[in-house]
Amino acid sequence: MDVAALHGSRAVVPGAGRLVVVRGPQLGRRYAFEKTAVLGRALEATLVIEDAEVSRSHARISYVDGAFVIEDLASRNGTFVNGRRIERAPLAFGDEVRLGTGVTMLFAAYDKLSDRALQRQHFEALGRLAAGISHDFNNMLGAVLTSLDYLRSRPPDQTLGDPGTRECLADVETATSRAAQLASRLLSFSRAGKEAHELVDVSAVCLEIAQILRRTLDRSIRIETHLAEGLALVGDAAELHQIVMNLCLNARDAMPNGGVLAIAAELEPAARAGGNGSVVITVSDTGIGMDEPTRARIFEPFFTTKSASGGFGLGLASVQELLSIHGGKIDVTSKPEAGSSFRVTFPAATARTGQPARPATTAKSRVPTLTGQPDAGRLVLVVDDEEVVRRSIVRILAHAGFDTVGARDGQEALARFGDARRPVDLVILDLDLPEVTGEEALQLMRSRSPDVRVLVLTGHHDPARERAVRDLGAIGFLYKPCGAGELLAAVEDALVACAIEDPSTTGEHTADTGPRGEG
């Protein structure tokens, strides 16, 4: 069949194509391009493919004399078209392109009508994802509030070294880090940006969830864990956390009178020799269970058996959507009054990635001591329109020995910068400011003082905007939300380790610290 003929009446863009991932960790991901595209792992590649077997610049697709051609760019693991390894070959709509052994993509025509349909689907999915993430976000906030309530209830003479206090503070840090990751996930999805899949420590994710549940669920529900050590998969830690947490909350709702919620994780060996096996996570409960008609519909969006105030019916739909991204699947067994069991299976990570699994939580914030007296008394201008953010940064810097000046917008920042009693040593500058934007403020400050050091504070990870801001003279980026450790380390780095001798080199340094999140 001539696949192109299927698009004869559509608004096909000449020389444009689309690659759809049909096998691999980014299952379902779509890449559109015109005329030419370089496929690879490098950030400068036209189409960034997140897979360890893909070379930095793996293959190139070009539109030459009215036809597409694909060529291998001396990749490590080869480029294949319809199962045949190639160096250079013609490429037609309907062909399968494989990079190494891990990623297979279908080459298809690109047309404007289908693109609009996909955009509409993307916005619908964004709505479902936003509702699911909001649900999880509220659970993280719940963990913070209950921990703070516990701390308020402690005797006035209780010290920070008390084990119960330290445990509560650790839970607050874990919950806020997870909430930041959820916000970052929603932001990246809304921009249809690159998904950063990496090795994730599955055992740590499940253990973290169990710890949160033990502190937040009713004591009538007993949490049990059966977790093998060292389990890893290639994916997104925040998304895996969302999958397991949604299943656990679903189990909680099925046990209004209490019961047992069990979380298990194990490695299932491969059926054939040389395979990598599967990571299996099972969430089971002793709750009310489901009959077969209900079980058959639980993954439908907006289907719920709860009351109007009990849920939107999006938790399990979000689980299935995130599973498709990770190449996973889910099986459910349940009987009325006999509980339910959700068994989630993921492809296990291979040893070929050569990098350690990333824990579920962000590394604990460290509060470094400043490296010597040269920093003491340095003047730092903090510019952010959110008072609570600005005040918290000023508080940490002042406690560390810096002199600080605050500004709530670009205009006030420029006034404070010009009226400072002595030259400003460092500016911490939010980009999204009213009146005068962060970029405009940066340009004006640099025009007045070309050697000024500016550390950009942002809640968005936007590579194009970051490149533009670097060109304006920013020396680094600090991503919201960041803890005291990340803040002081970045400030120290900007003032001491990366002191600017030649202003023309300021665009080469980045203090790229802290988890990304919504500011």
Side-chain angles (χ1 to χ4, degrees), residues 305-320:
T305 58
K306 304 171 188 176
S307 63
S309 60
F312 298 100
L314 288 165
L316 292 179
S318 297
V319 165
Q320 193 167 58

Side-chain angles (χ1 to χ4, degrees), residues 9 23 25 57 67 115 128 151 182 202 210 216 236 251 255-256 265 273 304 340 345 348-349 354 366 370 412 429 489:
S9 61
R23 188 169 69 87
S57 294
D115 188 58
R128 295 196 300 270
L151 292 174
L182 288 170
V202 177
T216 57
D236 182 282
M255 297 184 289
T304 180
S340 301
T345 305
R366 60 181 179 88
L370 297 177
E412 186 177 5
L429 178 67

Side-chain angles (χ1 to χ4, degrees), residues 28 64 74 78 108 139 151 159 176 179 185 189 224 232 267 363 393 411 418 447 503:
V64 181
N139 280 290
L151 292 174
T159 66
T176 51
R185 165 61 185 153
F189 186 90
E224 294 183 354
L267 179 65
I393 292 175
Q411 287 183 336
S447 67

Side-chain angles (χ1 to χ4, degrees), residues 178 181 199-201 204-205 208 237 356-363:
R178 181 61 59 207
Q181 290 178 349
L199 274 179
V200 178
D201 187 332
V205 170
E208 175 189 308
R358 184 169 72 86
T361 53
T362 305

Side-chain angles (χ1 to χ4, degrees), residues 211-230:
Q211 291 172 340
I212 292 174
L213 292 175
R214 287 191 176 104
R215 296 193 64 85
T216 57
L217 296 192
D218 190 275
R219 292 299 177 87
S220 64
I221 297 178
R222 187 171 80 250
I223 310 297
E224 294 183 354
T225 57
H226 309 278
L227 308 175
E229 295 183 357

Side-chain angles (χ1 to χ4, degrees), residues 19-22 39 49 95-97 99 103-107:
L19 289 166
V20 181
V21 179
V22 295
L39 287 64
I49 311 295
D95 285 346
E96 281 194 349
V97 176
L99 307 181
V103 176
T104 300
M105 295 173 287
L106 179 68
F107 183 53

